Amino acid sequence: MDEKIELRCNIMGRSEFCEIKGDIRIDGSSSTAFIVSSETDILTAENTSWIIRPYARKEALEEKDFARKWSVKLVTDRPDIARCTRNHSVPAILFSVGGYSGNFFHAFTDILVPLYSTAQPFNREVQFLITNRKPRWIAKFKTLLEALSGYEIIDIDDRHDIHCFQSLTIGLKGRNNKELSIDSSTSPYSMKEFRQFLRSSYSLKKITAAKIREGDKRKPRLLIIPRKRSRAFTNVGEIAKLAESLSYQVIVAEPGSDVLGFAKIINSCDVVMGVHGAGLTNMVFLPENAILIQVVPFGRAEWTSRVSFEDPAKDMKIRYLGYKIKVEESTLMQQYPDDHVVLRDPSAIWKQGWLAFRSIYLDKQNVTLDVNRFRPTLVKALELLHQ
């Protein structure tokens, strides 16, 4: 490229992205970012066109209508090339809020964490261009988006304007193979800094969990996330009574559209417990050295539980306890006969693929905790808070 143009595309990792500097013209009507270049550059370039899907979960991108495809094209300044109708003086980041973004876990691991890594170096002097725009999603995370960019978000799918920039990142950088994590070996940031960013953005006061000493009259705060539709606790009252008998102060609350309100609740707690599911993503708001108790559903759900929450907890300085339920604690016992393959051999269901596993063990199962069996887990959490 001539010295005015820089172009680097990565389509090999878990997230596809291009970093571009030069005369960049973005045409929403054709989903194309044109890079106006010299004829010499184009003749000598190995490639002159790339397809980027700016959503950071590559293994899912083949799904129909998952995230809008964008073209990046080197072109000469011909009369038929789009002319600028809006010029911008700051760099831009173009990303999708399509895909799985309606799920709270995916909103963080696929979008907000890599967006933080991509946008933070600009110190809010960056323009966000959103494709697959979802107004409710943008409203839900408005506080974080405004903390990363000082400019009003542009719906880049709008067909009316040609937006022109000198610098553009299309797609999100920093997407690690691990969920809810930042690879500090390749990024100047870490999950510790991301969690500090969350605390600052939402004005969360509690930095570290309570350290209970002998004779201390303070009660550690335990949050129970009950869930409503699937993987719900059927005996929340019994669980709360057990916890209170062990000197916990118990809060029962379910996350919803008010991210700030729930962030403040969870940040005030020392221990949070819930069945595997997106609600546990709220652990990002926990103070350091807090404890996450993940109740692992029946049906060989250990792997998805580990990669989704157990492994990420370590990078966040959150202590982790897992509780794997027995089949007797699952409401699947009431839906299938004792000798059914669902109860007898969950690995056979796994062999049918993720959708088969999810449709039964994640979507049809609730949990009735055996409080006597679960008691040692709550006792262990208390012991950790004394250390």
Side-chain angles (χ1 to χ4, degrees), residues 6 10 29 32 55 61 67 85 102 121 152 170 175 186 188 191 203 221 226 305 331 347 367 373:
E6 295 178 21
N10 183 341
S29 64
T32 303
Y55 182 87
L61 290 177
T85 61
E152 186 176 347
I170 178 167
R175 177 65 160 96
T186 58
M191 283 305 289
S203 301
R221 288 169 62 86
S305 298
T331 58
S347 61
V367 173
R373 183 171 178 263

Side-chain angles (χ1 to χ4, degrees), residues 149-197:
S149 170
Y151 298 84
E152 186 176 347
I153 289 170
I154 292 174
D155 175 7
I156 201 61
D157 296 336
D158 182 17
R159 306 293 198 262
H160 296 97
D161 282 303
I162 304 298
H163 294 270
C164 294
F165 296 87
Q166 293 299 310
S167 175
L168 170 67
T169 302
I170 178 167
L172 298 176
K173 299 158 53 182
R175 177 65 160 96
N176 197 355
N177 284 330
K178 288 174 64 178
E179 305 292 358
L180 292 173
S181 66
I182 297 171
D183 184 354
S184 297
S185 68
T186 58
S187 169
Y189 305 106
S190 66
M191 283 305 289
K192 179 181 176 68
E193 288 164 304
F194 177 71
R195 283 177 17 92
Q196 289 171 342
F197 162 73

Side-chain angles (χ1 to χ4, degrees), residues 62-214:
E62 296 304 322
E63 295 184 22
K64 184 181 178 184
D65 300 328
F66 190 83
R68 194 176 185 191
K69 293 181 180 180
W70 280 76
S71 299
V72 175
K73 292 183 178 180
L74 283 171
V75 296
T76 56
D77 195 8
R78 306 187 307 267
D80 60 321
I81 296 302
R83 299 296 173 192
C84 303
T85 61
R86 290 184 63 183
N87 286 286
H88 302 266
S89 60
V90 296
I93 299 172
L94 191 158
F95 62 98
S96 170
V97 297
Y100 299 139
S101 65
N103 176 286
F104 198 73
F105 171 77
H106 287 284
F108 271 84
T109 197
D110 295 347
I111 302 177
L112 293 170
V113 174
L115 178 62
Y116 168 81
S117 295
T118 307
Q120 190 69 354
F122 296 104
N123 195 27
R124 297 188 74 240
E125 287 296 313
V126 64
Q127 174 71 64
F128 289 161
L129 312 175
I130 287 185
T131 184
N132 304 113
R133 178 175 172 266
K134 293 181 179 178
R136 286 187 181 179
W137 192 96
I138 294 168
K140 185 172 185 174
F141 296 108
K142 180 181 178 183
T143 299
L144 299 182
L145 295 171
E146 290 182 347
L148 290 170
S149 170
Y151 298 84
E152 186 176 347
I153 289 170
I154 292 174
D155 175 7
I156 201 61
D157 296 336
D158 182 17
R159 306 293 198 262
H160 296 97
D161 282 303
I162 304 298
H163 294 270
C164 294
F165 296 87
Q166 293 299 310
S167 175
L168 170 67
T169 302
I170 178 167
L172 298 176
K173 299 158 53 182
R175 177 65 160 96
N176 197 355
N177 284 330
K178 288 174 64 178
E179 305 292 358
L180 292 173
S181 66
I182 297 171
D183 184 354
S184 297
S185 68
T186 58
S187 169
Y189 305 106
S190 66
M191 283 305 289
K192 179 181 176 68
E193 288 164 304
F194 177 71
R195 283 177 17 92
Q196 289 171 342
F197 162 73
L198 293 178
R199 281 200 299 270
S200 173
S201 300
Y202 287 126
S203 301
L204 305 178
K205 296 178 181 178
K206 195 169 181 175
I207 298 173
T208 57
K211 188 169 185 178
I212 309 298
R213 293 177 173 82
E214 290 301 324

Side-chain angles (χ1 to χ4, degrees), residues 190-354:
S190 66
M191 283 305 289
K192 179 181 176 68
E193 288 164 304
F194 177 71
R195 283 177 17 92
Q196 289 171 342
F197 162 73
L198 293 178
R199 281 200 299 270
S200 173
S201 300
Y202 287 126
S203 301
L204 305 178
K205 296 178 181 178
K206 195 169 181 175
I207 298 173
T208 57
K211 188 169 185 178
I212 309 298
R213 293 177 173 82
E214 290 301 324
D216 200 331
K217 292 183 179 180
R218 289 181 304 162
K219 291 184 176 183
R221 288 169 62 86
L222 166 68
L223 172 66
I224 301 173
I225 300 177
R227 294 184 60 92
K228 292 178 180 177
R229 290 184 289 274
S230 65
R231 285 160 282 146
F233 289 126
T234 65
N235 60 335
V236 173
E238 206 178 351
I239 300 167
K241 187 176 179 180
L242 166 68
E244 287 167 349
S245 74
L246 295 171
S247 298
Y248 283 101
Q249 179 186 354
V250 178
I251 301 100
V252 179
E254 183 78 25
S257 59
D258 180 9
V259 178
L260 171 60
F262 198 75
K264 288 186 180 295
I265 292 171
I266 202 164
N267 178 254
S268 72
C269 294
D270 307 295
V271 183
V272 61
M273 64 169 285
V275 183
H276 170 80
L280 295 186
T281 309
N282 286 279
M283 71 179 182
V284 296
F285 304 120
L286 279 171
E288 286 190 2
N289 293 324
I291 298 163
L292 172 69
I293 301 174
Q294 177 175 210
V295 176
V296 180
F298 173 77
R300 297 181 66 88
E302 294 89 345
W303 175 81
T304 186
S305 298
R306 177 177 59 80
V307 300
S308 299
F309 302 111
E310 179 181 355
D311 290 347
K314 298 168 187 173
D315 290 340
M316 299 185 205
K317 292 193 174 179
I318 293 169
R319 292 176 284 188
Y320 176 87
L321 295 173
Y323 177 83
K324 181 182 173 184
I325 73 167
K326 291 167 49 176
V327 66
E328 290 81 8
E329 295 171 272
S330 170
T331 58
L332 291 174
M333 284 282 290
Q334 297 146 30
Q335 300 175 51
Y336 296 93
D338 292 348
D339 61 348
H340 196 282
V341 65
V342 164
L343 304 179
R344 181 174 43 81
D345 187 14
S347 61
I349 305 299
W350 257 112
K351 289 174 183 176
Q352 297 174 30
W354 167 256

